[in-house]
Amino acid sequence: MKLLHIDSSALGAQSVTRELSAAVTARWRDAFPALQVEYRDLDAQPLPHLTGASLSGDDAAGNAEADKAMAQFLAADVIVIGAPMYNFSVPSTLKAWIDRIAVAGKTFRYTEHGPEGLAGGKKVIVASGRGGIHTDAPTDFQEAYLRQVLGFLGIDDIEFVRAEGVAYSPQHRSEALAQAHRSIAQPVLLRRAA
């Protein structure tokens, strides 16, 4: 079984989502010692954003990185994404990664009945950090966006581990992180990977 661990926070060691995504990954490693883990830090090594040159094939280096990101994504059974809320959505580095894996003919296709996701059978766990409280609020474009784009790719097994209100005070941060750690589910062997 393969797990792809992705971080996108720009906060380094102070990041809530890096702490949570590491905890989720550790829980999976503990449950499945033979688990193969690949790690991608989108802050330290961001993928190039889509440009006219990349779409036309004129950006060889950028497209090689995009091909590597696609191969990692397609090979993974489990994907752990550290996704902080930046300006009510996701970091641009995470959006650039999504743009490189949401590719017609590879992870989705259009049919006479509409779009069809081609990347099903994966489990995605999103480690979400939010300075404020946004669950069930009209300000949450992060979780809704991630559910939509992953669902569009055919992934319907999506779990969120969420720490909210972390910017309110040190006590809020501590309590939110403790609650998020408690909410990390016990890993279950996936049928695809069995």
Side-chain angles (χ1 to χ4, degrees):
M1 185 163 49
K2 294 182 179 180
L3 182 148
L4 175 59
H5 177 185
I6 295 171
D7 276 322
S8 61
S9 172
L11 297 180
Q14 300 304 313
S15 169
V16 166
T17 60
R18 285 177 185 272
E19 177 181 327
L20 292 174
S21 70
V24 170
T25 300
R27 174 112 7 130
W28 278 82
R29 279 188 176 173
D30 290 347
F32 304 107
L35 182 70
Q36 297 174 37
V37 177
E38 274 196 81
Y39 180 69
R40 182 176 278 271
D41 186 333
L42 297 173
D43 181 62
Q45 296 177 314
L47 285 164
H49 287 272
L50 281 178
T51 63
S54 59
L55 291 174
S56 68
D58 293 335
D59 180 8
N63 288 345
E65 275 301 304
D67 290 345
K68 181 179 176 185
M70 178 65 81
Q72 286 177 319
F73 173 75
L74 291 174
D77 301 294
V78 179
I79 302 165
V80 177
I81 302 173
M85 178 183 274
Y86 287 0
N87 299 315
F88 307 104
S89 187
V90 297
S92 66
T93 53
L94 181 55
K95 176 64 168 73
W97 178 79
I98 290 168
D99 286 343
R100 298 307 185 131
I101 63 154
V103 177
K106 292 188 178 181
T107 55
F108 73 92
R109 67 179 171 196
Y110 290 106
T111 71
E112 63 274 7
H113 304 292
E116 176 185 3
L118 302 174
K122 299 177 185 303
K123 177 169 188 67
V124 174
I125 303 140
V126 178
S128 168
R130 299 155 172 215
I133 302 204
H134 300 278
T135 297
D136 299 324
T139 55
D140 181 4
F141 299 101
Q142 174 210 38
E143 186 169 323
Y145 169 70
L146 290 170
R147 283 190 189 282
Q148 173 61 40
V149 74
L150 293 167
F152 184 80
L153 301 182
I155 301 169
D156 57 10
D157 189 355
I158 305 166
E159 176 184 327
F160 281 79
V161 174
R162 190 181 307 109
E164 291 195 289
V166 299
Y168 287 4
S169 72
Q171 180 179 347
H172 278 91
R173 179 185 173 98
S174 177
E175 290 172 359
L177 274 167
Q179 164 58 32
H181 279 281
R182 286 191 300 271
S183 76
I184 297 172
Q186 182 63 35
V188 176
L189 187 64
L190 305 173
R191 280 190 236 148
R192 171 185 161 184

